[in-house]
Structure formats: structure tokens, C-alpha cells
């Protein structure tokens, strides 16, 4: 099931998406929140009539670095023996169609297409065999990075945590085997990144075991699983799109911060 969060007439709700053709998609409004057992209301609205929001409002976004060997190599880094994580704050999250605001303190902002895992239940110290039970679903993410700032500052809070640096969406797909999906990114229609989730160094199980050893994960938290090779610069005016097989396309435009 594809679950979107959206606003219509000032109200925010979740809905299940029906249909296949982009311009014929309809939302069946969900009663309550989708993290527990929920019912569909049967009240339907066309997706074209609503504004899609980030599909979840995470308490935290945990991102893993250098999880595709070819990407680690292109930036001159070793593949880490163990997964290593950093945070993107909740204030960095934007939704499909929202604007990425180019930060004033960087001159080299990069795109990073990533598969995002959405957590469905509160959990800690998740054993490998239970990982699938704590996953709600999957969405597309763009781990927008001020590469120049990342190189000169030891902690990446500013480089990877600035406002609008975490586009998520367009919705969460709950029925998906994430093991071997095509992940691709275009800028103004030109392909920049292409990889498969099967190329991850550390699996989704590894990543969730690793981070949940340290901290409690909450429903709606998001885990970014690393980016394949092909990262590169974004400029003001660019339209950047992340497409993951079985999920959909997350498109955002880059603007100057006003
Ligand atoms: Zn990343």
C-alpha cells in the first residue's frame, strides 16, 4: 500500500493512494494515523487536488554514510568496516515538490539519492530477525549535502543538517522487498546517479541493528541507507528527481534562500 500525508483546505491527513497513472491517482483518507491498525474512510480525493507533504514527520532522521563502495571511492574514502551514522534534524525535512533552499554558507551543494526506511513502531536493540517487524515502509530521500562545508567541518551538523536538506516522498510504500531495487537520480532530466540497493555494503538489517543498539527508534523515524555513485553539484534553478523502483519519484526544485 502507498500511504501519503497531505493537506487539503488547511487540514492534514494520511491517505492510501489508489491508481497507477500519475494524473489519475486518488487518495482514500485514513481514519487516524497509519502506524497502528487503521481503517480507510472511503472518502476519496484526487491527488491533484491536494498538496502532498513529507510522508512522515520524523522525530529523527538517521543517515548512514559510505554504504555503497563506488560512492565511497568517488570521494576518495574507504568503505567503513562498521556502519557509521549521522543525524539530519527534523527541521531539514521537506516534502515532494517543496523547494530546496541553497544555503548561504556553501558554494558546493550536492544531491545524494537514497532509499529511506520508515520505522513503524517504537523499538530498541532490535535483533536481526525482528528488523522486518519494525519497518513500516520505504520512501525516496535526497540527502542534500553542502560538500565544501562537509570537507572543512569535522561534524556534519551544518553540512547535512541545514533547512530543506532532507526531501522525503512522495509517499511510503509498505509492501516492498527492498533487496534489489533500481535507484536513480536526474537533474533537469539528465541522469546523474544510477545504482541498485543490492550494492549496499551494510544491509538494512545491519543498519537498524547498529543504530537501535544505541537509541530508541520511534514510529515515523527515518533511516537513510546511503547513496550510490554519481553524486554531484546542484545549482539554483535545477530540478532534481529521485526515482526508486516500486516506490515512485521525488521531485524538488533548488531555489536561493530568500
Ligand atoms: Zn547520504
Amino acid at each position: 500500500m502507498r500511504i501519503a500525508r497531505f493537506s487539503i483546505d488547511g487540514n492534514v491527513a494520511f491517505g492510501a493512494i489508489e491508481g497507477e497513472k500519475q494524473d489519475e491517482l486518488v487518495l482514500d483518507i485514513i481514519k487516524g494515523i497509519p502506524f497502528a491498525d487503521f481503517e480507510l474512510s472511503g472518502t476519496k480525493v484526487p491527488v491533484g487536488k491536494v498538496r502532498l507533504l513529507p510522508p512522515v514527520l520524523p522525530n529523527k532522521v538517521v543517515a548512514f554514510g559510505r554504504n555503497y563502495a563506488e560512492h565511497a571511492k568517488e570521494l576518495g574514502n574507504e568503505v567503513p568496516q562498521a556502519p557509521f551514522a549521522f543525524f539530519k534534524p527534523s527541521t531539514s525535512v521537506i516534502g515532494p515538490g517543496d523547494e530546496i533552499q541553497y544555503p548561504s554558507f556553501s558554494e558546493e551543494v550536492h544531491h545524494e539519492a537514497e532509499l529511506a526506511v520508515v520505522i513503524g513502531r517504537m523499538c530498541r536493540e532490535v535483533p536481526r530477525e525482528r528488523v522486518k517487524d519494525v519497518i513500516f515502509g520505504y520512501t525516496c530521500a535526497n540527502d542534500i549535502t553542502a560538500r565544501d562545508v562537509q570537507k572543512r567541518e569535522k561534524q556534519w551538523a551544518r553540512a547535512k543538517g541545514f533547512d530543506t536538506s532532507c526531501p522525503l516522498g512522495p509517499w511510503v510504500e509498505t509492501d516492498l522487498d527492498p533487496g534489489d531495487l533500481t535507484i536513480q537520480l536526474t537533474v533537469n532530466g539528465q541522469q546523474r546517479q544510477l545504482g541498485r540497493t543490492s550494492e549496499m555494503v551494510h544491509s538494512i538489517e545491519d543498519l537498524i541493528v547498529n543504530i537501535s543498539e544505541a537509541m530508541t527508534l520511534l514510529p515515523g523515524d527515518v533511516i537513510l541507507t546511503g547513496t550510490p555513485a554519481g553524486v554531484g553539484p546542484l545549482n539554483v534553478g535545477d530540478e532534481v528527481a529521485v526515482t526508486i523502483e516500486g516506490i515512485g519519484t521525488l521531485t524538488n526544485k533548488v531555489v536561493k534562500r530568500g
Side-chain angles (χ1 to χ4, degrees), residues 64 86 112 114 143 160 226-227:
F64 283 90
F86 56 90
E112 295 190 357
E114 310 207 4
D143 175 17
K160 283 180 172 278
T227 194

Side-chain angles (χ1 to χ4, degrees), residues 10 20 29-30 36 85 88-89 97 115 126 132 147 163 166 188 197 199 206 208 229 240 253 256:
E20 287 308 322
I29 297 174
I30 286 172
K88 292 174 83 78
L115 175 71
V126 182
K132 61 180 182 320
R147 194 71 72 201
D163 286 1
C166 191
N188 304 325
T197 56
E199 295 159 3
D206 292 336
I208 290 179
V240 58
K253 204 164 174 180
K256 201 163 180 284

Side-chain angles (χ1 to χ4, degrees), residues 180-195:
D180 187 24
L181 305 172
T182 306
I183 172 164
Q184 80 150 323
L185 180 142
T186 61
V187 177
N188 304 325
Q190 305 272 78
Q191 186 172 288
R192 293 272 192 89
Q193 292 187 264
L194 179 64

Side-chain angles (χ1 to χ4, degrees), residues 22 49 66 84 95 113 138 149 192 212-213 221 225 244 249:
Q22 191 60 35
K49 290 259 191 293
R66 298 168 196 161
F84 84 91
Y138 304 89
V149 179
R192 293 272 192 89
S212 74
E213 249 170 26
D221 278 354
T225 56
I244 301 178
T249 299

Side-chain angles (χ1 to χ4, degrees), residues 65-210:
R66 298 168 196 161
N67 201 30
Y68 287 75
E70 286 299 311
H71 166 64
K73 211 159 83 182
E74 73 181 340
L75 294 181
N77 295 308
E78 298 284 318
V79 172
Q81 288 292 307
F84 84 91
F86 56 90
F87 286 121
K88 292 174 83 78
S90 57
T91 43
S92 68
V93 172
I94 57 172
D98 289 345
E99 292 171 337
I100 298 165
Q101 296 179 1
Y102 204 106
S104 56
F105 57 88
S106 171
E107 287 172 354
E108 192 190 7
V109 169
H110 279 196
H111 53 77
E112 295 190 357
E114 310 207 4
L115 175 71
V117 180
V118 179
I119 299 297
R121 58 166 76 167
M122 185 159 93
C123 58
R124 196 178 65 179
E125 293 168 13
V126 182
R128 175 171 306 272
E129 64 276 12
R130 296 290 308 278
V131 165
K132 61 180 182 320
D133 301 335
V134 306
I135 294 176
F136 174 59
Y138 304 89
T139 191
C140 307
N142 202 340
D143 175 17
I144 303 291
T145 301
R147 194 71 72 201
D148 49 352
V149 179
Q150 184 191 24
K151 284 175 190 156
R152 57 174 193 257
E153 297 183 1
K154 201 160 184 184
Q155 297 277 331
W156 299 348
R158 285 173 11 115
K160 283 180 172 278
F162 60 87
D163 286 1
T164 74
S165 67
C166 191
L168 293 176
W171 41 66
V172 177
E173 173 55 73
T174 59
D175 304 310
L176 188 67
D177 176 351
D180 187 24
L181 305 172
T182 306
I183 172 164
Q184 80 150 323
L185 180 142
T186 61
V187 177
N188 304 325
Q190 305 272 78
Q191 186 172 288
R192 293 272 192 89
Q193 292 187 264
L194 179 64
R196 301 195 69 82
T197 56
S198 51
E199 295 159 3
M200 285 183 199
V201 176
H202 301 289
S203 67
I204 289 170
E205 284 81 8
D206 292 336
L207 303 181
I208 290 179
V209 168
N210 176 275

